[in-house]
């Protein structure tokens, strides 16, 4: 019985026609600005964020390595689109075992803004991370709110293309 259910399930899945593309072209064009081999000024040797398309431009995968503070830190971020929820997505995993998932939305700077939320000893921490294309690379700015209080700037950084 079990193998017939699996065969039936596979048969139904296999009968579903393939989609013409991973997602509409306008979605891919809104993520394309993220693709590149990035660093911050003066940190070529100690900071890199290499963002590349995954197969069929389904997601942008960013491999980040940061040793600016002495010890090495490594994380992977995956940015994409949720057709079911109608928003962009951000998922991040790092070498400490932490992860986070955030919904993201198009912003007025032709980029995306991701909304995060977590608990710590201060209470509820909400974040807004804005990413946008600039003439020389990417701009990234983050804001936070503690326990639904006023928003304050966490910081801003400018990504530039890494020299090889």
């Amino acid at each position: 019985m079990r193998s017939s259910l699996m065969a039936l399930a596979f048969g139904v899945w296999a009968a579903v026609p393939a989609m013409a593309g991973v997602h509409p072209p306008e979605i891919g064009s809104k993520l394309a600005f993220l693709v590149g081999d990035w660093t911050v000024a003066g940190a070529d040797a100690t900071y890199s964020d290499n963002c590349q398309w995954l197969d069929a431009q389904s997601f942008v995968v960013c491999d980040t390595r940061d040793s600016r503070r002495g010890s090495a830190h490594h994380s992977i971020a995956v940015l994409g689109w949720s057709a079911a929820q109608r928003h962009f997505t951000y998922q991040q995993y790092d070498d400490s075992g932490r992860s986070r998932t955030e919904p993201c939305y198009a912003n007025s700077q032709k980029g995306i803004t991701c909304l995060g939320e977590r608990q710590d000893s201060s209470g509820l921490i909400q974040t807004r991370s804005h990413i946008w294309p600039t003439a020389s690379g990417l701009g990234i700015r983050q804001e936070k709110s503690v326990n639904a209080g006023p928003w304050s700037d966490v910081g801003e950084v400018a990504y530039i293309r890494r020299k090889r």
Side-chain angles (χ1 to χ4, degrees), residues 17-77:
M19 294 178 56
V22 176
H23 43 65
E26 62 272 10
I27 298 302
S29 68
K30 289 183 181 174
L31 291 171
F33 78 96
L34 298 164
V35 174
D37 192 11
W38 309 107
T39 190
V40 293
D44 269 0
T46 56
Y47 187 86
S48 67
D49 197 356
N50 187 300
C51 299
Q52 301 298 322
W53 282 112
L54 188 63
D55 302 330
Q57 296 188 343
S58 54
F59 295 93
V60 175
V61 179
C62 298
D63 185 352
T64 307
R65 297 180 184 273
D66 185 0
S67 59
R68 291 174 295 173
R69 294 186 177 102
S71 61
H73 176 72
H74 182 219
S75 66
I76 301 292

Side-chain angles (χ1 to χ4, degrees), residues 120-141:
D120 74 6
S121 60
S122 308
L124 177 66
I125 309 296
Q126 294 173 301
T127 58
R128 295 188 295 213
S129 302
H130 310 279
I131 309 167
W132 66 93
T134 67
S136 59
L138 301 176
I140 303 171
R141 182 173 59 89

Side-chain angles (χ1 to χ4, degrees), residues 4 19 21 34 36 39 80 105 110 119 139 143 160 162:
S4 6
M19 294 178 56
L34 298 164
T39 190
Y105 302 89
K110 298 186 188 255
Q119 289 281 339
E143 305 168 286
I160 57 174
R162 270 182 74 208

